[in-house]
Amino acid sequence: MERPAWAPRSIDISVPSVSRIYDFYLGGSHNFEVDREAARRAMEFMPGLPKIMQANRAFMRRAVRFAAAEGITQFLDIGSGIPTFGTVHEVARAARPGARVVYVDHDPVAVAHGQAVLDGDPETAVVAADLRKPQEILDGPEVRGLLDLDRPVALLLVAVLHFVEDADDPVAAVRELSDALAPGSMLVLTHASYEGIPLPPERAGRVVDVYKDIRNPLIMRSREEIARFFEGYEMVEPGLVPMPDWRPDTAPEDEDPFAYSGFAGVGRAA
């Protein structure tokens, strides 16, 4: 397999990557055949996976616009993935010129590509770090240098927490990040769930098996379990809802049924 110029020498391009699979679902070009093969296996059981990812990205853009309209000019996007059209800094700056964004991911391809795309932009940074080690993110020179944690920050955890197993205590990780942020900060979150998937649970479970096979366990949580991540936040209307139902730009009835798989919400810190 020939290694493209954008792929760091340190990565094993024979092993599927969650961020590159996500890039494939969104129609991107920064993925390998091994990623496409895993994605196609998952889509055999859940053909609407690209629709879910598109709904996820659409929610993210609406939530960033909302945060910017509420006066937030700083964004910390953890689990940011490979940059695609309509990234956080593009959406935020359309409303708030000069908005500052720190992207965080543990995938070397996502980090390398993000650094290449954003090279020369003094108001963005791309950091290699892990959500499971929040203090390392908060103490990193990029976060400390670019974001003022004494002022409100929008913390984005979009389609990432369902890759953190319960044994790693994702609720505690979110709480540690939240505790470091100023009053008025926001938590923007999406999470996969069996609730809302227009398929029998056993068929949807086969998708979970695919991710388990590639050593990236996909943890499906209930709405009640997902709501725990918002402890300490006041939920922004309409609360924790299926992605197309959060302040939609278009009529929800026009959405694909698969777009209702999982939940999205925005909380504001008191």
Side-chain angles (χ1 to χ4, degrees), residues 217-236:
L218 177 60
I219 313 302
M220 307 291 266
R221 296 187 171 98
S222 67
R223 184 184 183 280
E224 182 179 356
E225 290 171 320
I226 297 166
R228 291 189 60 205
F229 293 115
F230 286 100
E231 290 175 359
Y233 287 88
E234 177 185 349
M235 294 302 295
V236 171

Side-chain angles (χ1 to χ4, degrees), residues 114-263:
Q115 289 172 341
V117 169
L118 299 173
D119 184 41
D121 184 338
E123 294 172 330
T124 63
V126 183
V127 180
D130 195 318
L131 170 59
R132 294 169 295 185
K133 299 177 180 178
Q135 203 58 48
E136 291 185 11
I137 296 173
L138 294 167
D139 291 340
E142 297 86 357
V143 169
R144 290 294 177 183
L146 203 59
L147 305 182
D148 179 358
L149 299 185
D150 292 326
R151 295 173 47 241
V153 173
L155 170 62
L156 279 73
L157 299 173
V158 177
V160 63
L161 285 164
H162 47 236
F163 292 114
V164 182
E165 298 182 84
D166 291 339
D168 291 316
D169 203 350
V171 172
V174 174
R175 186 179 302 118
E176 189 171 346
L177 289 164
S178 299
D179 286 348
L181 304 182
S185 294
M186 292 186 182
L187 173 60
V188 176
L189 184 154
T190 65
H191 198 296
S193 177
Y194 284 121
E195 298 175 38
I197 297 178
L199 290 173
E202 60 272 13
R203 185 174 177 87
R206 299 295 296 276
V207 176
V208 174
D209 292 340
V210 171
Y211 279 87
K212 188 182 299 182
D213 288 345
I214 64 171
R215 299 181 183 179
N216 282 284
L218 177 60
I219 313 302
M220 307 291 266
R221 296 187 171 98
S222 67
R223 184 184 183 280
E224 182 179 356
E225 290 171 320
I226 297 166
R228 291 189 60 205
F229 293 115
F230 286 100
E231 290 175 359
Y233 287 88
E234 177 185 349
M235 294 302 295
V236 171
E237 289 293 333
L240 185 60
V241 295
M243 292 178 288
D245 290 341
W246 198 90
R247 299 180 177 239
D249 294 328
T250 57
E253 57 266 24
D254 295 337
E255 287 283 355
D256 187 282
F258 278 99
Y260 290 87
S261 307
F263 292 96

